[in-house]
Amino acid sequence: MTERTWWKEAVVYQIYPKSFSDADGDGFGDLPGVIDRLDHLERLGVDCVWLNPVYQSPQRDNGYDVSDYRAIYPEFGTMDDWDRLLEELHARDIRLVMDMVPNHTSSDHEWFQRSRSEPDGEYGDYYIWRDGDPDEPPNNWESFFGGSAWEYDAEREAWYLHLYDVSQPDLNWRNPDVRDAMADTMNWWLEKGIDGFRLDVVNLLSKAEGLPDGDPSNDWTGSEHFVNGPRIFEYLDEIHENVFAGTDAVAIGEMPNLDLEHARRYTAPDGPLDLVFHFEHVGLDFGERGRWDVGDWDLLDLKETLDRWQGGLDWNSLFFENHDQPRSVSRFGDDERYRYESATALATILLTLRGTPFVYQGQEIGMTNGTFESLDDISDVDTVRNVRELIAAGAVADYESIRHVVEHRTRDNARTPMQWDDTAHAGFTDGEPWIPVNENYADINVASERERTPSVLSFYEALIDLRREREALVYGSYDIHRPDDEQLFVYTRTLDDDQVVVVINFSDSAATADLDALDAEASLLCGNYDDVAAEPNGPLELGPYEARLYGQSA
Ligand code: TEU
């Protein structure tokens, strides 16, 4: 029997504040801007906000390079603004989850500055330093953003490890002072009244003893030595004990390269975390060059992955988008012919599978991927470094020959400004936005979505309402039907004597569905097409990307 908790019932809305709403006209989204838009969240019906990092930071990786965990980056506003945001959210019964970055800091952080200048001082052992030949990195591990994961520091005359950008040195979690400092920081925020943390790359904290070379044929060289490393459960249990135990704050682990077996252990009743993010379904479209290629996927692949995680884990985190992923309607749907239909079909999956759904800003209005004419138009450090690396290695000739991959994949797709209305810069800012607005903003924006019927936005609102009313959609068991159907995604959610049947034609052609799962007296609860009969009356005739929910007795 699943224990009932607030975060299982919640729909979470992710805000990437840099691109959400700019109140002071500097082109950079901010906390007062978020406060100005809370009515949108209230109307959408979400229960919780996950806010991407707003701490002091040089912004090389848009805030995942933290230089002070207890201060707000001035372009986002002040600590008073942050306090007001928390108050305004709570006044609307919306919780707040902050983003914590425990694996690395910015190289501007005082800890790193002192670590490099005073090797024998208090912070000397806060990072992963190795002596040795300045021309030869200590091992062959790669940075996720491309190139070696090591940088030689001329001041300390030693190498430091950075699994991400060169400005993001990895903390040394073997050092108990580091673990205490991170727990203190998290407790400091919890005492301010927040409702939990999303923990960045938290399965990478423990590195293998001796830092051995990795297998170069691995997609991310070295990862077998730092993904779910030898002491990871010890570190996470300690965080649980010192930070989360005895509170109802949620602990959400973001975990690259996470497999189901580890996910189960991390979220077991006596495990350290409540929720984990895995990336298997958003890796289905990788190609031969991994992320920097576009590969083929089909509905059977998507169903197989989602179904395996539904069956394998008691409680999933459900997402198709976040600030690191392209727009889901462009990636999994059809953002030209069937934008409304496919965005709402995806919304149906997101909001009716078993687990906690995460809606990323703009997803609720069906925002799409952008166009990026040259590498100079890209802000994302991940894309810029990796593409430069591929060009330098001769793997691709120039930007033009990899442009289709970049436009499909780059994290900038998620970071173009939120589209509020059809005024200049989509109503995001009165100034010059830090990243250009998607060209389609005059057509796709919150105001126009509120006017047109049907709309992606009103569908999200309706489904979120339904999820709140119908407990089977939260706590009900999940069963797939017709797993081998190449066009239809069909499953039931059952709680006691109540059952919801979810039927989705996830294809761009019409489909007929004669479903054993559906009773003659089932009644339509919700759908993304108009004029659908209230009762099934025989086989269903479904249009492209049509989604329907029926209610019936179990
Ligand atoms: O991302 C970590 C990361 O590597 C994955 O999210 C990756 O995108 C995924 O495995 C899909 O391939 C986190 C943050 O979300 C990201 O914005 C930061 O740049 C990164 O950590 C470093 O802090």
Side-chain angles (χ1 to χ4, degrees), residues 12-20 30-31 34 49-56 59 61-66 72-73 76 82 85 96-101 189 198-200 254 277 321-325 358-361 411 414-415:
V12 184
Y13 187 84
Q14 186 192 344
I15 294 184
Y16 194 69
K18 190 168 177 176
S19 304
F20 192 63
D30 47 38
L31 296 171
V34 176
V49 162
W50 150 25
L51 187 67
N52 283 101
V54 289
Y55 315 107
Q56 185 66 269
Q59 301 287 324
D61 188 22
N62 289 356
Y64 284 95
D65 47 331
V66 181
I72 302 292
Y73 178 56
F76 284 136
W82 184 88
L85 172 63
L96 178 60
V97 165
M98 292 289 278
D99 206 321
M100 188 42 63
V101 190
W189 281 101
R198 175 262 192 196
L199 301 162
D200 190 59
E254 190 238 10
F277 285 119
E321 292 186 22
N322 64 34
H323 64 292
D324 294 331
Q325 300 294 329
F358 290 76
V359 180
Y360 180 68
Q361 66 185 43
R411 306 196 295 182
R415 301 173 181 189

Short mmCIF file of all heavy atoms in Angstrom, two decimals, residues 12-20 30-31 34 49-56 59 61-66 72-73 76 82 85 96-101 189 198-200 254 277 321-325 358-361 411 414-415:
data_model
loop_
_atom_site.label_atom_id
_atom_site.label_comp_id
_atom_site.label_asym_id
_atom_site.label_seq_id
_atom_site.Cartn_x
_atom_site.Cartn_y
_atom_site.Cartn_z
N VAL A 12 3.89 19.59 -10.19
CA VAL A 12 4.97 20.56 -10.00
C VAL A 12 5.17 21.37 -11.28
O VAL A 12 5.09 20.82 -12.39
CB VAL A 12 6.30 19.83 -9.64
CG1 VAL A 12 7.40 20.85 -9.33
CG2 VAL A 12 6.10 18.88 -8.46
N TYR A 13 5.41 22.65 -11.10
CA TYR A 13 5.68 23.54 -12.24
C TYR A 13 7.12 24.03 -12.11
O TYR A 13 7.51 24.57 -11.08
CB TYR A 13 4.71 24.72 -12.20
CG TYR A 13 4.76 25.62 -13.42
CD1 TYR A 13 4.04 25.30 -14.57
CD2 TYR A 13 5.50 26.81 -13.41
CE1 TYR A 13 4.06 26.14 -15.68
CE2 TYR A 13 5.52 27.65 -14.51
CZ TYR A 13 4.80 27.31 -15.65
OH TYR A 13 4.81 28.14 -16.75
N GLN A 14 7.91 23.81 -13.16
CA GLN A 14 9.31 24.22 -13.10
C GLN A 14 9.51 25.61 -13.68
O GLN A 14 9.10 25.88 -14.82
CB GLN A 14 10.19 23.21 -13.85
CG GLN A 14 11.68 23.52 -13.68
CD GLN A 14 12.58 22.74 -14.61
OE1 GLN A 14 12.16 21.74 -15.20
NE2 GLN A 14 13.81 23.19 -14.74
N ILE A 15 10.14 26.48 -12.91
CA ILE A 15 10.44 27.84 -13.37
C ILE A 15 11.94 28.02 -13.55
O ILE A 15 12.72 27.81 -12.62
CB ILE A 15 9.88 28.89 -12.38
CG1 ILE A 15 8.35 28.83 -12.37
CG2 ILE A 15 10.36 30.29 -12.76
CD1 ILE A 15 7.69 29.87 -11.50
N TYR A 16 12.30 28.41 -14.76
CA TYR A 16 13.69 28.76 -15.08
C TYR A 16 13.71 30.29 -15.08
O TYR A 16 13.36 30.94 -16.07
CB TYR A 16 14.01 28.21 -16.48
CG TYR A 16 15.48 28.20 -16.82
CD1 TYR A 16 16.36 27.34 -16.17
CD2 TYR A 16 15.98 29.04 -17.81
CE1 TYR A 16 17.70 27.31 -16.50
CE2 TYR A 16 17.33 29.01 -18.15
CZ TYR A 16 18.18 28.14 -17.49
OH TYR A 16 19.51 28.12 -17.83
N PRO A 17 14.06 30.88 -13.94
CA PRO A 17 13.74 32.30 -13.72
C PRO A 17 14.39 33.25 -14.73
O PRO A 17 13.83 34.30 -15.05
CB PRO A 17 14.23 32.57 -12.30
CG PRO A 17 15.15 31.46 -11.96
CD PRO A 17 14.74 30.28 -12.78
N LYS A 18 15.52 32.85 -15.27
CA LYS A 18 16.21 33.72 -16.21
C LYS A 18 15.35 33.99 -17.45
O LYS A 18 15.48 35.04 -18.09
CB LYS A 18 17.54 33.05 -16.61
CG LYS A 18 18.47 33.94 -17.39
CD LYS A 18 19.86 33.33 -17.51
CE LYS A 18 20.75 34.23 -18.36
NZ LYS A 18 22.13 33.76 -18.44
N SER A 19 14.47 33.05 -17.76
CA SER A 19 13.67 33.15 -18.98
C SER A 19 12.17 33.23 -18.72
O SER A 19 11.39 33.04 -19.65
CB SER A 19 13.94 31.92 -19.86
OG SER A 19 15.30 31.79 -20.13
N PHE A 20 11.76 33.50 -17.50
CA PHE A 20 10.33 33.44 -17.20
C PHE A 20 9.65 34.80 -17.33
O PHE A 20 8.71 34.96 -18.11
CB PHE A 20 10.13 32.85 -15.80
CG PHE A 20 8.71 32.47 -15.50
CD1 PHE A 20 8.06 31.49 -16.24
CD2 PHE A 20 8.01 33.08 -14.46
CE1 PHE A 20 6.74 31.12 -15.96
CE2 PHE A 20 6.70 32.72 -14.17
CZ PHE A 20 6.07 31.74 -14.91
N ASP A 30 13.52 37.70 -13.49
CA ASP A 30 13.88 37.91 -12.08
C ASP A 30 12.74 37.47 -11.15
O ASP A 30 11.65 37.10 -11.59
CB ASP A 30 14.26 39.38 -11.85
CG ASP A 30 13.26 40.34 -12.47
OD1 ASP A 30 12.05 40.05 -12.43
OD2 ASP A 30 13.69 41.40 -13.01
N LEU A 31 13.03 37.52 -9.84
CA LEU A 31 12.05 37.05 -8.85
C LEU A 31 10.80 37.93 -8.81
O LEU A 31 9.68 37.39 -8.78
CB LEU A 31 12.71 36.94 -7.47
CG LEU A 31 13.84 35.90 -7.40
CD1 LEU A 31 14.58 36.00 -6.06
CD2 LEU A 31 13.30 34.50 -7.58
N VAL A 34 8.63 36.73 -11.45
CA VAL A 34 7.90 35.50 -11.12
C VAL A 34 6.67 35.86 -10.29
O VAL A 34 5.56 35.37 -10.55
CB VAL A 34 8.79 34.49 -10.35
CG1 VAL A 34 7.98 33.27 -9.93
CG2 VAL A 34 10.00 34.07 -11.19
N VAL A 49 6.19 24.70 -6.97
CA VAL A 49 7.13 25.25 -7.95
C VAL A 49 8.51 24.70 -7.64
O VAL A 49 8.92 24.65 -6.49
CB VAL A 49 7.15 26.80 -7.87
CG1 VAL A 49 8.40 27.36 -8.55
CG2 VAL A 49 5.90 27.38 -8.51
N TRP A 50 9.19 24.24 -8.69
CA TRP A 50 10.64 23.98 -8.57
C TRP A 50 11.32 25.14 -9.28
O TRP A 50 11.09 25.37 -10.46
CB TRP A 50 10.98 22.62 -9.19
CG TRP A 50 12.38 22.52 -9.78
CD1 TRP A 50 13.49 23.24 -9.43
CD2 TRP A 50 12.81 21.65 -10.84
NE1 TRP A 50 14.57 22.87 -10.20
CE2 TRP A 50 14.19 21.91 -11.06
CE3 TRP A 50 12.17 20.67 -11.61
CZ2 TRP A 50 14.93 21.22 -12.04
CZ3 TRP A 50 12.91 20.00 -12.58
CH2 TRP A 50 14.27 20.26 -12.78
N LEU A 51 12.12 25.85 -8.50
CA LEU A 51 12.81 27.03 -9.02
C LEU A 51 14.26 26.67 -9.32
O LEU A 51 14.99 26.22 -8.43
CB LEU A 51 12.75 28.12 -7.94
CG LEU A 51 13.26 29.51 -8.27
CD1 LEU A 51 12.37 30.19 -9.31
CD2 LEU A 51 13.29 30.38 -6.99
N ASN A 52 14.70 26.88 -10.55
CA ASN A 52 16.11 26.64 -10.88
C ASN A 52 16.99 27.58 -10.05
O ASN A 52 16.49 28.55 -9.49
CB ASN A 52 16.34 26.84 -12.38
CG ASN A 52 15.84 25.67 -13.19
OD1 ASN A 52 14.78 25.72 -13.78
ND2 ASN A 52 16.60 24.60 -13.18
N PRO A 53 18.31 27.31 -9.98
CA PRO A 53 19.16 28.05 -9.03
C PRO A 53 19.11 29.57 -9.21
O PRO A 53 19.24 30.08 -10.32
CB PRO A 53 20.57 27.54 -9.35
CG PRO A 53 20.37 26.20 -9.94
CD PRO A 53 19.07 26.27 -10.69
N VAL A 54 18.94 30.26 -8.07
CA VAL A 54 18.92 31.73 -8.09
C VAL A 54 20.03 32.29 -7.20
O VAL A 54 20.02 33.45 -6.84
CB VAL A 54 17.55 32.29 -7.62
CG1 VAL A 54 16.48 32.02 -8.66
CG2 VAL A 54 17.12 31.71 -6.26
N TYR A 55 20.99 31.43 -6.84
CA TYR A 55 22.05 31.85 -5.92
C TYR A 55 23.08 32.72 -6.65
O TYR A 55 23.14 32.74 -7.89
CB TYR A 55 22.76 30.62 -5.35
CG TYR A 55 21.82 29.53 -4.89
CD1 TYR A 55 21.68 28.35 -5.63
CD2 TYR A 55 21.04 29.70 -3.75
CE1 TYR A 55 20.80 27.36 -5.22
CE2 TYR A 55 20.15 28.71 -3.34
CZ TYR A 55 20.03 27.55 -4.09
OH TYR A 55 19.15 26.57 -3.71
N GLN A 56 23.91 33.36 -5.83
CA GLN A 56 25.02 34.14 -6.37
C GLN A 56 25.87 33.26 -7.28
O GLN A 56 26.21 32.12 -6.91
CB GLN A 56 25.86 34.66 -5.20
CG GLN A 56 26.97 35.58 -5.59
CD GLN A 56 26.48 36.89 -6.17
OE1 GLN A 56 26.30 37.03 -7.38
NE2 GLN A 56 26.23 37.87 -5.31
N GLN A 59 27.27 32.74 -13.47
CA GLN A 59 26.35 32.40 -14.57
C GLN A 59 27.01 31.78 -15.80
O GLN A 59 26.51 31.91 -16.91
CB GLN A 59 25.53 33.63 -15.01
CG GLN A 59 24.69 34.25 -13.90
CD GLN A 59 23.47 33.41 -13.53
OE1 GLN A 59 22.84 32.80 -14.39
NE2 GLN A 59 23.14 33.36 -12.24
N ASP A 61 27.16 28.62 -16.21
CA ASP A 61 26.21 27.55 -16.52
C ASP A 61 24.85 27.94 -15.95
O ASP A 61 24.14 27.13 -15.35
CB ASP A 61 26.72 26.21 -15.94
CG ASP A 61 25.86 25.03 -16.40
OD1 ASP A 61 25.18 25.14 -17.44
OD2 ASP A 61 25.89 23.98 -15.71
N ASN A 62 24.52 29.21 -16.16
CA ASN A 62 23.22 29.75 -15.74
C ASN A 62 22.80 29.37 -14.32
O ASN A 62 21.68 28.97 -14.07
CB ASN A 62 22.13 29.31 -16.72
CG ASN A 62 22.27 30.02 -18.05
OD1 ASN A 62 23.13 30.90 -18.21
ND2 ASN A 62 21.44 29.68 -19.01
N GLY A 63 23.74 29.53 -13.39
CA GLY A 63 23.39 29.38 -11.98
C GLY A 63 23.73 28.03 -11.37
O GLY A 63 23.67 27.87 -10.15
N TYR A 64 24.11 27.04 -12.22
CA TYR A 64 24.57 25.76 -11.67
C TYR A 64 26.05 25.87 -11.29
O TYR A 64 26.68 24.87 -10.95
CB TYR A 64 24.31 24.61 -12.65
CG TYR A 64 22.84 24.23 -12.63
CD1 TYR A 64 21.95 24.75 -13.55
CD2 TYR A 64 22.35 23.40 -11.63
CE1 TYR A 64 20.60 24.44 -13.50
CE2 TYR A 64 21.01 23.08 -11.56
CZ TYR A 64 20.14 23.61 -12.49
OH TYR A 64 18.80 23.30 -12.41
N ASP A 65 26.56 27.08 -11.36
CA ASP A 65 27.91 27.39 -10.91
C ASP A 65 27.74 28.39 -9.77
O ASP A 65 27.70 29.59 -9.98
CB ASP A 65 28.75 27.95 -12.06
CG ASP A 65 28.04 29.04 -12.88
OD1 ASP A 65 26.79 29.04 -12.98
OD2 ASP A 65 28.74 29.93 -13.40
N VAL A 66 27.60 27.86 -8.56
CA VAL A 66 27.22 28.70 -7.42
C VAL A 66 28.46 29.26 -6.72
O VAL A 66 29.37 28.51 -6.37
CB VAL A 66 26.38 27.89 -6.40
CG1 VAL A 66 25.95 28.77 -5.23
CG2 VAL A 66 25.17 27.25 -7.08
N ILE A 72 21.36 35.74 -3.08
CA ILE A 72 20.64 35.74 -4.36
C ILE A 72 21.46 36.51 -5.39
O ILE A 72 22.00 37.59 -5.09
CB ILE A 72 19.25 36.41 -4.19
CG1 ILE A 72 18.42 35.70 -3.11
CG2 ILE A 72 18.49 36.48 -5.52
CD1 ILE A 72 17.96 34.30 -3.45
N TYR A 73 21.54 35.98 -6.59
CA TYR A 73 22.23 36.68 -7.68
C TYR A 73 21.49 37.99 -7.96
O TYR A 73 20.28 37.98 -8.22
CB TYR A 73 22.22 35.76 -8.91
CG TYR A 73 22.85 36.34 -10.14
CD1 TYR A 73 24.16 36.81 -10.11
CD2 TYR A 73 22.14 36.42 -11.34
CE1 TYR A 73 24.75 37.33 -11.25
CE2 TYR A 73 22.73 36.93 -12.49
CZ TYR A 73 24.03 37.39 -12.43
OH TYR A 73 24.61 37.90 -13.56
N PHE A 76 18.64 38.55 -10.33
CA PHE A 76 17.36 37.91 -9.99
C PHE A 76 16.60 38.71 -8.94
O PHE A 76 15.41 38.49 -8.73
CB PHE A 76 17.58 36.48 -9.47
CG PHE A 76 17.92 35.47 -10.54
CD1 PHE A 76 18.94 34.55 -10.35
CD2 PHE A 76 17.19 35.43 -11.73
CE1 PHE A 76 19.24 33.61 -11.34
CE2 PHE A 76 17.48 34.49 -12.71
CZ PHE A 76 18.51 33.58 -12.52
N TRP A 82 13.05 37.25 -2.65
CA TRP A 82 12.89 35.80 -2.51
C TRP A 82 11.91 35.47 -1.36
O TRP A 82 11.03 34.63 -1.52
CB TRP A 82 14.25 35.11 -2.27
CG TRP A 82 14.09 33.63 -2.23
CD1 TRP A 82 14.13 32.76 -3.29
CD2 TRP A 82 13.77 32.83 -1.08
NE1 TRP A 82 13.86 31.48 -2.86
CE2 TRP A 82 13.63 31.50 -1.50
CE3 TRP A 82 13.59 33.12 0.28
CZ2 TRP A 82 13.33 30.45 -0.63
CZ3 TRP A 82 13.27 32.08 1.15
CH2 TRP A 82 13.15 30.76 0.69
N LEU A 85 8.51 36.07 -2.53
CA LEU A 85 8.06 35.01 -3.43
C LEU A 85 7.53 33.82 -2.62
O LEU A 85 6.45 33.29 -2.89
CB LEU A 85 9.20 34.57 -4.36
CG LEU A 85 8.90 33.34 -5.22
CD1 LEU A 85 7.74 33.59 -6.18
CD2 LEU A 85 10.14 32.90 -6.01
N LEU A 96 7.24 25.45 -2.50
CA LEU A 96 8.45 25.85 -3.21
C LEU A 96 9.58 24.85 -2.96
O LEU A 96 9.96 24.58 -1.82
CB LEU A 96 8.89 27.25 -2.76
CG LEU A 96 10.19 27.77 -3.41
CD1 LEU A 96 10.07 27.86 -4.93
CD2 LEU A 96 10.56 29.14 -2.84
N VAL A 97 10.10 24.31 -4.05
CA VAL A 97 11.26 23.42 -4.01
C VAL A 97 12.44 24.17 -4.62
O VAL A 97 12.35 24.69 -5.74
CB VAL A 97 10.96 22.12 -4.80
CG1 VAL A 97 12.23 21.35 -5.10
CG2 VAL A 97 9.97 21.25 -4.04
N MET A 98 13.53 24.26 -3.87
CA MET A 98 14.72 24.94 -4.38
C MET A 98 15.66 23.92 -5.03
O MET A 98 15.59 22.72 -4.75
CB MET A 98 15.45 25.66 -3.24
CG MET A 98 14.68 26.84 -2.68
SD MET A 98 14.62 28.24 -3.82
CE MET A 98 16.21 29.01 -3.47
N ASP A 99 16.55 24.43 -5.87
CA ASP A 99 17.49 23.59 -6.60
C ASP A 99 18.83 23.66 -5.87
O ASP A 99 19.37 24.75 -5.70
CB ASP A 99 17.61 24.16 -8.02
CG ASP A 99 18.02 23.14 -9.04
OD1 ASP A 99 18.85 22.28 -8.72
OD2 ASP A 99 17.50 23.21 -10.18
N MET A 100 19.33 22.54 -5.40
CA MET A 100 20.61 22.56 -4.69
C MET A 100 21.67 21.90 -5.57
O MET A 100 21.38 20.93 -6.27
CB MET A 100 20.45 21.82 -3.36
CG MET A 100 21.61 21.91 -2.41
SD MET A 100 22.42 23.53 -2.24
CE MET A 100 21.12 24.54 -1.58
N VAL A 101 22.88 22.45 -5.54
CA VAL A 101 23.95 21.96 -6.41
C VAL A 101 25.09 21.45 -5.52
O VAL A 101 26.02 22.20 -5.22
CB VAL A 101 24.44 23.07 -7.36
CG1 VAL A 101 25.37 22.50 -8.43
CG2 VAL A 101 23.27 23.81 -8.01
N TRP A 189 18.26 26.80 4.33
CA TRP A 189 17.13 27.10 3.44
C TRP A 189 15.83 26.48 3.95
O TRP A 189 14.77 27.09 3.88
CB TRP A 189 17.42 26.62 2.01
CG TRP A 189 18.33 27.57 1.28
CD1 TRP A 189 19.67 27.43 1.07
CD2 TRP A 189 17.96 28.83 0.69
NE1 TRP A 189 20.17 28.52 0.40
CE2 TRP A 189 19.14 29.39 0.14
CE3 TRP A 189 16.77 29.54 0.58
CZ2 TRP A 189 19.15 30.63 -0.51
CZ3 TRP A 189 16.78 30.77 -0.08
CH2 TRP A 189 17.95 31.30 -0.62
N ARG A 198 15.42 19.92 -5.16
CA ARG A 198 15.80 19.11 -6.30
C ARG A 198 17.33 19.12 -6.22
O ARG A 198 17.95 20.18 -6.11
CB ARG A 198 15.29 19.77 -7.58
CG ARG A 198 15.71 19.09 -8.89
CD ARG A 198 16.88 19.79 -9.50
NE ARG A 198 17.15 19.36 -10.87
CZ ARG A 198 18.29 19.60 -11.49
NH1 ARG A 198 19.25 20.27 -10.90
NH2 ARG A 198 18.48 19.18 -12.73
N LEU A 199 17.93 17.95 -6.18
CA LEU A 199 19.37 17.84 -5.95
C LEU A 199 20.08 17.53 -7.26
O LEU A 199 19.90 16.46 -7.85
CB LEU A 199 19.64 16.74 -4.92
CG LEU A 199 18.94 16.97 -3.57
CD1 LEU A 199 18.87 15.68 -2.76
CD2 LEU A 199 19.67 18.06 -2.79
N ASP A 200 20.88 18.49 -7.70
CA ASP A 200 21.53 18.41 -9.01
C ASP A 200 22.57 17.28 -9.06
O ASP A 200 23.38 17.15 -8.14
CB ASP A 200 22.21 19.76 -9.27
CG ASP A 200 22.73 19.90 -10.68
OD1 ASP A 200 21.92 19.81 -11.61
OD2 ASP A 200 23.96 20.10 -10.85
N GLU A 254 18.28 14.38 -9.05
CA GLU A 254 18.47 14.37 -10.50
C GLU A 254 19.68 13.50 -10.79
O GLU A 254 20.75 13.71 -10.20
CB GLU A 254 18.69 15.78 -11.02
CG GLU A 254 18.65 15.83 -12.54
CD GLU A 254 19.89 16.37 -13.19
OE1 GLU A 254 20.91 16.57 -12.50
OE2 GLU A 254 19.87 16.61 -14.40
N PHE A 277 14.87 11.63 -10.91
CA PHE A 277 14.72 11.84 -12.36
C PHE A 277 15.68 10.91 -13.08
O PHE A 277 16.88 10.92 -12.79
CB PHE A 277 15.12 13.27 -12.74
CG PHE A 277 14.13 14.32 -12.38
CD1 PHE A 277 14.48 15.34 -11.51
CD2 PHE A 277 12.86 14.32 -12.93
CE1 PHE A 277 13.57 16.35 -11.19
CE2 PHE A 277 11.94 15.31 -12.61
CZ PHE A 277 12.30 16.33 -11.73
N GLU A 321 9.92 17.50 -20.34
CA GLU A 321 10.73 18.69 -20.58
C GLU A 321 11.38 19.14 -19.28
O GLU A 321 10.86 18.89 -18.20
CB GLU A 321 9.85 19.86 -21.08
CG GLU A 321 9.28 19.64 -22.45
CD GLU A 321 8.53 20.85 -23.01
OE1 GLU A 321 8.76 21.98 -22.56
OE2 GLU A 321 7.70 20.63 -23.90
N ASN A 322 12.48 19.82 -19.41
CA ASN A 322 13.04 20.63 -18.34
C ASN A 322 13.99 21.61 -19.01
O ASN A 322 14.00 21.71 -20.24
CB ASN A 322 13.70 19.77 -17.24
CG ASN A 322 14.90 18.98 -17.74
OD1 ASN A 322 15.65 19.44 -18.60
ND2 ASN A 322 15.09 17.79 -17.20
N HIS A 323 14.77 22.33 -18.23
CA HIS A 323 15.63 23.37 -18.79
C HIS A 323 16.81 22.79 -19.56
O HIS A 323 17.58 23.56 -20.14
CB HIS A 323 16.13 24.26 -17.65
CG HIS A 323 16.99 23.48 -16.70
ND1 HIS A 323 16.48 22.48 -15.88
CD2 HIS A 323 18.32 23.50 -16.46
CE1 HIS A 323 17.47 21.94 -15.19
NE2 HIS A 323 18.60 22.54 -15.51
N ASP A 324 17.00 21.48 -19.56
CA ASP A 324 18.10 20.85 -20.30
C ASP A 324 17.62 20.12 -21.56
O ASP A 324 18.42 19.54 -22.28
CB ASP A 324 18.80 19.79 -19.43
CG ASP A 324 19.53 20.38 -18.24
OD1 ASP A 324 19.98 21.53 -18.31
OD2 ASP A 324 19.64 19.66 -17.22
N GLN A 325 16.32 20.10 -21.76
CA GLN A 325 15.76 19.28 -22.84
C GLN A 325 15.08 20.15 -23.88
O GLN A 325 14.57 21.21 -23.56
CB GLN A 325 14.72 18.31 -22.25
CG GLN A 325 15.28 17.35 -21.20
CD GLN A 325 16.28 16.36 -21.76
OE1 GLN A 325 16.18 15.98 -22.93
NE2 GLN A 325 17.24 15.96 -20.96
N PHE A 358 5.82 16.80 -13.63
CA PHE A 358 6.55 18.07 -13.67
C PHE A 358 6.27 18.75 -15.01
O PHE A 358 6.58 18.20 -16.06
CB PHE A 358 8.06 17.84 -13.54
CG PHE A 358 8.49 17.39 -12.17
CD1 PHE A 358 8.27 16.08 -11.76
CD2 PHE A 358 9.10 18.27 -11.29
CE1 PHE A 358 8.64 15.65 -10.48
CE2 PHE A 358 9.48 17.84 -10.01
CZ PHE A 358 9.26 16.54 -9.61
N VAL A 359 5.67 19.94 -14.93
CA VAL A 359 5.38 20.72 -16.14
C VAL A 359 6.43 21.81 -16.23
O VAL A 359 6.63 22.56 -15.27
CB VAL A 359 3.98 21.37 -16.06
CG1 VAL A 359 3.68 22.17 -17.32
CG2 VAL A 359 2.90 20.31 -15.80
N TYR A 360 7.12 21.90 -17.34
CA TYR A 360 8.16 22.92 -17.51
C TYR A 360 7.56 24.18 -18.14
O TYR A 360 6.75 24.09 -19.08
CB TYR A 360 9.30 22.38 -18.39
CG TYR A 360 10.39 23.40 -18.61
CD1 TYR A 360 11.18 23.80 -17.53
CD2 TYR A 360 10.59 24.00 -19.84
CE1 TYR A 360 12.16 24.77 -17.70
CE2 TYR A 360 11.57 24.96 -20.02
CZ TYR A 360 12.36 25.35 -18.94
OH TYR A 360 13.32 26.30 -19.11
N GLN A 361 7.95 25.34 -17.67
CA GLN A 361 7.38 26.61 -18.16
C GLN A 361 7.28 26.63 -19.69
O GLN A 361 8.26 26.33 -20.39
CB GLN A 361 8.20 27.80 -17.67
CG GLN A 361 9.60 27.88 -18.22
CD GLN A 361 10.42 29.03 -17.60
OE1 GLN A 361 10.39 29.25 -16.40
NE2 GLN A 361 11.14 29.76 -18.44
N ARG A 411 19.98 22.87 -25.40
CA ARG A 411 19.25 23.28 -24.19
C ARG A 411 18.65 24.67 -24.36
O ARG A 411 17.73 25.04 -23.64
CB ARG A 411 20.20 23.25 -22.99
CG ARG A 411 20.90 21.90 -22.81
CD ARG A 411 21.53 21.74 -21.44
NE ARG A 411 22.61 22.68 -21.19
CZ ARG A 411 23.31 22.70 -20.06
NH1 ARG A 411 23.06 21.83 -19.09
NH2 ARG A 411 24.29 23.57 -19.88
N ALA A 414 14.87 25.20 -24.60
CA ALA A 414 14.03 25.31 -23.40
C ALA A 414 14.18 26.68 -22.75
O ALA A 414 13.44 27.03 -21.85
CB ALA A 414 14.43 24.24 -22.39
N ARG A 415 15.17 27.43 -23.22
CA ARG A 415 15.55 28.65 -22.50
C ARG A 415 15.14 29.92 -23.20
O ARG A 415 15.41 31.02 -22.71
CB ARG A 415 17.06 28.61 -22.23
CG ARG A 415 17.42 27.38 -21.41
CD ARG A 415 18.90 27.16 -21.23
NE ARG A 415 19.13 25.93 -20.44
CZ ARG A 415 20.29 25.54 -19.97
NH1 ARG A 415 21.36 26.28 -20.18
NH2 ARG A 415 20.39 24.42 -19.28
#
